[in-house]
Amino acid sequence: MSSVVSSDPSFTAGSFPLSSGQPDEEGVGAFIPGPRVHVAGSADGALGGLSCAVKDVLDVAGTVTGNGNPDWARTHAPARHHASAVARILAAGADVVGKTISDELAYSLTGENTHYGTPLNSAAPDRVPGGSSSGSAAAVAAGLVDFALGSDCGGSVRVPSSYCGLLGMRPTHGRICAEGIAPFAPSFDCVGWFARDPRVFAAVGAVLLEEEGPARRPSRLLLAQDAFDLLEEDVRTALMPAVARVEALLGSATPVTLSPDGLAHWSAAFRTLQAAEIWQSVGAWVDEVKPGFGPGVKERFEAAARLDPAEVDAARPVREAVVARMVDLLPPGTVMVLPSTPRIAPLRGSAAADTEVTYRHLAMNLLCTAGLAGLPQVSMPLARVAGAPIGLSLLGRRNSDLELVTLAASICAAG
């Protein structure tokens, strides 16, 4: 077992208990409709005794990957093999106990699915869980499973983690094999995971990252001042004690400007490049099937279909500049702290113009950096505003995933 978790003398491989005292699964609404998928893990392994849910964009052999849309499910055959990440956690001993609702074709950040409903955010029941890994986050937050797999392209692990009060990881792009994930935006897509318990979070990371510790603790901390400047005062105030918890381990944070060109400029380039890749991946299917999409998702696909190639060409140099900027800001031993989301989760049933446009665009200003530069980012449940969770993130250089996982687990365990 990786030394990520072995510092706890009470931990031994296979010692995790299954979740107990589970709330009403039907009331949570995290799992896709129909018979529940159940695949037993190996007899022994580092994740023995843990239960896991899998976002319904990842293949589980013998089942249809529904991708959050009934027309997709209707037009696709059952998977012949497990997705690589699913196979890995099964081999490590975890039991897969269900597939979870995703926003439609993973193209939303709210967690409200027109066809399958909105999973419960147990940490703030009057608010959305966040998407597109909504069901996975809801299952973990409600204690239905010990951890869950999701995917993160524009923020689909980080946003639900922030909204539901969970640890959530977007790894370095390509660090975890994405084989067996529904097509979306391949140069941005990552397989990520959620957990409540820092030990579980670290143990799952050790398995998925295939990396043995000990991980070196970063020695320098940066604070993305322009990211914090985007926040309303109550959110910024709530996050400052969380920043102090990170500083207690790493020393005082040095304020820096993340984007000299403005985070909105980076975000616009991200949306353009993402939309171009999404249309290339699934546009032919959309044209042929003409699926029924819900509010927000429908408009984004329409915009992707109309995208001017000149806009895509103009966005590519922006991405190259972001990569160069982050290499400069994050040499080995350096980590950056920034808000995971600009606000707490929107109220359930809010107008689509607010949740799918205003909230989404504000969030993308904070989320786009990791996507454009292919960097690892972990959201930690360290603050609340008006009784609802909001996350603080650690952003690291490429392939510093184990450092971030270990650091985040230490910070959360210390609380």
Side-chain angles (χ1 to χ4, degrees), residues 37 46 58-59 66 92 104 118 121 137 139-140 150 164 168 170 195 209 246 248 251 260 289 314 360 373:
V37 173
L58 289 158
D59 288 345
E104 293 186 79
T118 305
N121 179 348
V140 175
C164 293
R170 173 206 165 88
L209 295 169
V246 183
V289 176
R360 181 181 178 85

Side-chain angles (χ1 to χ4, degrees), residues 78-264:
R80 298 179 61 186
H81 308 283
H82 296 313
S84 177
V86 173
R88 181 157 294 282
I89 60 104
L90 287 168
D95 293 334
V96 170
V97 299
K99 297 197 75 176
T100 55
I101 290 174
S102 166
D103 288 0
E104 293 186 79
L105 274 63
Y107 210 178
S108 177
L109 291 176
T110 67
E112 296 179 296
N113 187 305
T114 296
H115 309 285
Y116 303 130
T118 305
L120 177 71
N121 179 348
S122 296
D126 58 339
R127 298 180 180 274
V128 300
S132 61
S133 305
S134 55
S136 288
V140 175
L144 302 181
V145 292
D146 296 298
F147 72 98
L149 299 183
S151 64
D152 190 306
C153 178
S156 292
V157 167
R158 292 164 287 165
V159 169
S161 296
S162 181
Y163 288 175
C164 293
L166 302 171
L167 278 155
M169 178 71 176
R170 173 206 165 88
T172 298
H173 183 262
R175 186 68 182 76
I176 298 173
C177 179
E179 180 183 353
I181 189 172
F184 194 52
S187 80
F188 297 103
D189 291 339
C190 296
V191 177
W193 71 97
F194 303 90
R196 301 180 309 280
D197 186 319
R199 294 189 311 153
V200 173
F201 178 73
V204 174
V207 167
L208 289 174
L209 295 169
E210 303 180 70
E211 188 171 349
E212 294 293 330
R216 182 178 61 179
R217 178 169 289 180
S219 57
R220 181 168 176 255
L221 180 65
L222 304 179
L223 182 143
Q225 187 64 59
D226 46 343
F228 279 91
D229 288 345
L230 295 175
L231 306 179
E232 295 177 358
E233 185 60 33
D234 59 339
V235 178
R236 186 163 47 246
T237 299
L239 285 173
M240 285 302 101
V243 173
R245 286 176 62 172
V246 183
E247 290 181 315
L249 289 180
L250 302 184
S252 298
T254 301
V256 296
T257 297
L258 182 57
S259 171
D261 301 319
L263 289 167

Side-chain angles (χ1 to χ4, degrees), residues 61-83:
T63 69
V64 173
T65 299
N67 209 7
N69 181 277
D71 290 316
W72 185 277
R74 175 178 57 83
T75 56
H76 287 79
R80 298 179 61 186
H81 308 283
H82 296 313

